């Protein structure tokens, strides 16, 4: 079996990310740093099999974003996409609720062939990134299967059934991360977390419950973050009660949490050394600092590439001011 090695020799920042929202900050950091300095760990709780193919939506969103080929309007999938296969399948009465474009479909076909031939997801991801010219190291947190399951008031749904097919409409009562506690963390991630070269761990403004918790619940990763010599810094996914992207606020309300950046800080308080919050939430800074978490206040909206780079530069600078544990 051919493998592609994961070289972490020059990695200084470990970025933990979901899809669209987190990919914005990941891109900003990619543009601010050399690619070799960046290890991006993408969520695989959203992965599933569709049309017989292994689909990794968050890994692909991160890869497309870093490669500069993501669709800027939809926020997911490939730019300049066509839909011939999907339209034909729909005409035949096939399952068409999950939209796969033709260019996107080629990625899933190649991934599935390679995995069926015995390659790991991490190896396939590295090969795909190399084909797209991405110099940052993008990896899944594990090569084991981890799946986010959404318990609602009347049934349990897989993530994609909840998020795409049902459009996040059912009321969420509980989230499960199947396979997370038994999954094996990618060795390179553990090695980087304990090494002296790591400057900081950055938790992107992805949905904490749907995108980052599936990663943090893998093996003992959360404990490793808490004991890592490098500071851990999060960027809040909320501006007051509004989320950057997706159903973060809705899920927080349904799970009984106050929709607030303070709640986000409390959720990560066992691992966080610092958090970046929006200027609109400045009044929460004292309460957050009382948790033992340093606060950086700025404009966290990332409407364009310039804003992504500006926020990334501030996150990098802030993380470097925080004393190591």
């Amino acid at each position: 079996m051919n493998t592609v090695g994961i070289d972490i020799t020059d990695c200084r920042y470990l970025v933990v990310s979901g899809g669209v929202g987190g990919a914005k900050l990941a891109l900003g950091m990619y543009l601010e740093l050399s690619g070799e300095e960046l290890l991006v760990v993408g969520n695989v709780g959203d992965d599933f099999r569709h049309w017989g193919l292994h689909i990794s939506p968050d890994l692909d969103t991160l890869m497309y974003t870093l490669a500069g080929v993501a669709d800027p309007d939809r926020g997911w999938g490939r730019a300049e996409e066509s839909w011939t296969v999907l339209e034909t399948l729909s005409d035949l009465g096939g399952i068409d609720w999950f939209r796969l474009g033709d260019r996107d479909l080629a990625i899933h076909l190649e991934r599935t062939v390679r995995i069926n031939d015995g390659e790991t997801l991490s190896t396939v991801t590295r090969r795909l990134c190399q084909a797209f010219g991405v110099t940052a190291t993008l990896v899944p947190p594990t090569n084991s299967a981890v799946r986010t399951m959404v318990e609602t008031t009347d049934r349990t749904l897989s993530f994609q059934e909840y998020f795409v097919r049902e459009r996040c409409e059912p009321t969420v009562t509980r989230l499960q991360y199947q396979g997370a506690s038994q999954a094996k963390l990618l060795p390179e991630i553990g090695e980087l977390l304990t090494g002296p070269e790591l400057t900081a761990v950055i938790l992107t403004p992805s949905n904490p419950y749907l995108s980052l918790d599936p990663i943090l619940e893998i093996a003992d990763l959360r404990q490793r973050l808490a004991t890592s010599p490098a500071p851990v810094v999060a960027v809040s996914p909320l501006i007051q009660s509004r989320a950057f992207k997706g159903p973060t606020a809705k899920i927080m309300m349904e799970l009984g949490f106050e929709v607030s950046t303070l709640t986000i800080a409390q959720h990560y308080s066992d691992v966080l050394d610092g958090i970046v919050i929006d200027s609109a939430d400045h009044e929460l800074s004292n309460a957050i600092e009382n948790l033992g978490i340093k606060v950086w206040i700025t404009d966290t909206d990332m409407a364009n590439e310039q804003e992504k780079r500006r926020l990334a530069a501030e996150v990098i600078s802030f993380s470097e001011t925080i004393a190591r544990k």
Side-chain angles (χ1 to χ4, degrees), residues 243-258:
F244 285 120
K245 188 75 177 177
T248 302
K250 173 182 180 291
I251 287 175
M252 291 178 73
M253 287 188 292
E254 292 170 354
L255 294 178
F257 299 123
E258 180 184 356

Side-chain angles (χ1 to χ4, degrees), residues 85-95:
V85 173
L86 179 68
E87 291 166 357
T88 303
L89 190 72
S90 181
D91 291 341
L92 296 172
I95 299 172

Side-chain angles (χ1 to χ4, degrees), residues 168-188:
C168 305
E169 292 176 1
T171 299
V172 177
T173 58
R174 184 169 174 256
L175 295 167
Q176 299 182 58
Y177 312 108
Q178 288 185 353
S181 60
Q182 298 83 31
K184 293 183 178 180
L185 186 69
L186 216 64
E188 291 83 357

Side-chain angles (χ1 to χ4, degrees), residues 73-271:
D73 298 320
R74 292 196 313 270
W76 54 269
R78 295 284 302 275
E80 302 177 357
E81 187 61 278
S82 59
W83 306 92
T84 303
V85 173
L86 179 68
E87 291 166 357
T88 303
L89 190 72
S90 181
D91 291 341
L92 296 172
I95 299 172
D96 60 1
W97 58 264
F98 192 86
R99 293 178 60 80
L100 294 177
D102 300 331
R103 290 169 177 253
D104 193 34
L105 185 59
I107 301 299
H108 308 311
L109 285 165
E110 180 67 7
R111 177 188 294 113
T112 304
V113 167
R114 289 187 176 277
I115 288 176
N116 288 346
D117 284 344
E119 292 190 24
T120 63
L121 180 59
S122 60
T123 294
V124 176
T125 302
R126 293 297 301 134
R127 287 189 184 279
L128 292 172
C129 284
Q130 289 172 358
F132 276 91
V134 175
T135 57
T137 302
L138 170 63
V139 295
T142 180
N143 284 314
S144 308
V146 175
R147 299 294 178 261
T148 299
M149 303 299 294
V150 184
E151 292 187 17
T152 70
T153 49
D154 61 349
R155 55 188 162 157
T156 299
L157 302 168
S158 69
F159 175 85
Q160 298 300 343
E161 289 173 331
Y162 166 77
F163 192 78
V164 180
R165 193 185 71 191
E166 303 298 325
R167 301 181 181 180
C168 305
E169 292 176 1
T171 299
V172 177
T173 58
R174 184 169 174 256
L175 295 167
Q176 299 182 58
Y177 312 108
Q178 288 185 353
S181 60
Q182 298 83 31
K184 293 183 178 180
L185 186 69
L186 216 64
E188 291 83 357
I189 298 173
E191 181 183 344
L192 187 60
L193 283 173
T194 58
E197 298 83 9
L198 187 63
T199 299
V201 177
I202 308 300
L203 305 184
T204 66
S206 296
N207 187 309
Y209 311 96
L210 291 180
S211 297
L212 297 191
D213 278 359
I215 302 173
L216 300 185
E217 292 298 320
I218 290 173
D220 57 350
L221 179 55
R222 197 160 189 137
Q223 177 62 26
R224 289 182 188 235
L225 290 177
T227 58
S228 173
V232 180
V233 174
V235 177
S236 175
L238 297 177
I239 299 177
Q240 295 186 323
S241 60
R242 176 177 64 85
F244 285 120
K245 188 75 177 177
T248 302
K250 173 182 180 291
I251 287 175
M252 291 178 73
M253 287 188 292
E254 292 170 354
L255 294 178
F257 299 123
E258 180 184 356
V259 182
S260 164
T261 285
L262 176 59
T263 304
I264 301 296
Q266 291 168 334
H267 183 70
Y268 294 134
S269 62
D270 58 322
V271 302

